[in-house]
Amino acid sequence: VLRVHAELLELGVDHLELGLLVQRLAQDGLQLVQLVSVQGVDHLLDLLFKVGFNEVIHDPGLLLWGQLYLISRVVAGQSSLGQGHTSSQYNNTPHSSILVL
């Protein structure tokens, strides 16, 4: 009877150890799911950013808008030459590389 009792106690201890291992495995699994979820969201946001940025770069309307803006800056710069500025003063401005082709 004592031997059966000792084996039952040992079986109980093994059961508790197994329960702790399963609990630890469940916690590690949950952390893995959270990590994969965060990485998935990160990749999704990165992809959306790249696609959005690519759309902005390749949007003909935005490209046309940028070209019109540069042309307007050139025209505005040329009209200021007639207001007392010399061409040498104008070529020293930071945007002179746009105008001097």
Side-chain angles (χ1 to χ4, degrees):
V1 172
L2 288 176
R3 186 171 151 188
V4 171
H5 189 266
E7 287 181 11
L8 285 174
L9 285 176
E10 188 176 332
L11 186 61
V13 169
D14 290 344
H15 178 74
L16 288 175
E17 288 175 351
L18 182 61
L20 291 175
L21 289 174
V22 168
Q23 183 181 7
R24 177 68 185 175
L25 181 63
Q27 288 174 345
D28 289 346
L30 181 61
Q31 287 178 352
L32 178 63
V33 168
Q34 288 174 340
L35 178 64
V36 169
S37 297
V38 167
Q39 286 179 341
V41 169
D42 183 52
H43 288 298
L44 177 65
L45 291 176
D46 188 46
L47 176 67
L48 290 174
F49 173 74
K50 286 179 181 177
V51 168
F53 187 74
N54 201 16
E55 286 293 322
V56 168
I57 294 294
H58 292 102
D59 186 355
L62 289 176
L63 185 60
L64 179 62
W65 173 254
Q67 290 173 346
L68 289 174
Y69 175 75
L70 288 176
I71 290 170
S72 69
R73 296 289 296 174
V74 169
V75 170
Q78 288 175 347
S79 66
S80 67
L81 287 176
Q83 299 173 359
H85 298 343
T86 64
S87 62
S88 63
Q89 289 173 333
Y90 187 71
N91 286 335
N92 291 330
T93 60
H95 56 280
S96 65
S97 61
I98 296 172
L99 298 175
V100 179
L101 300 175

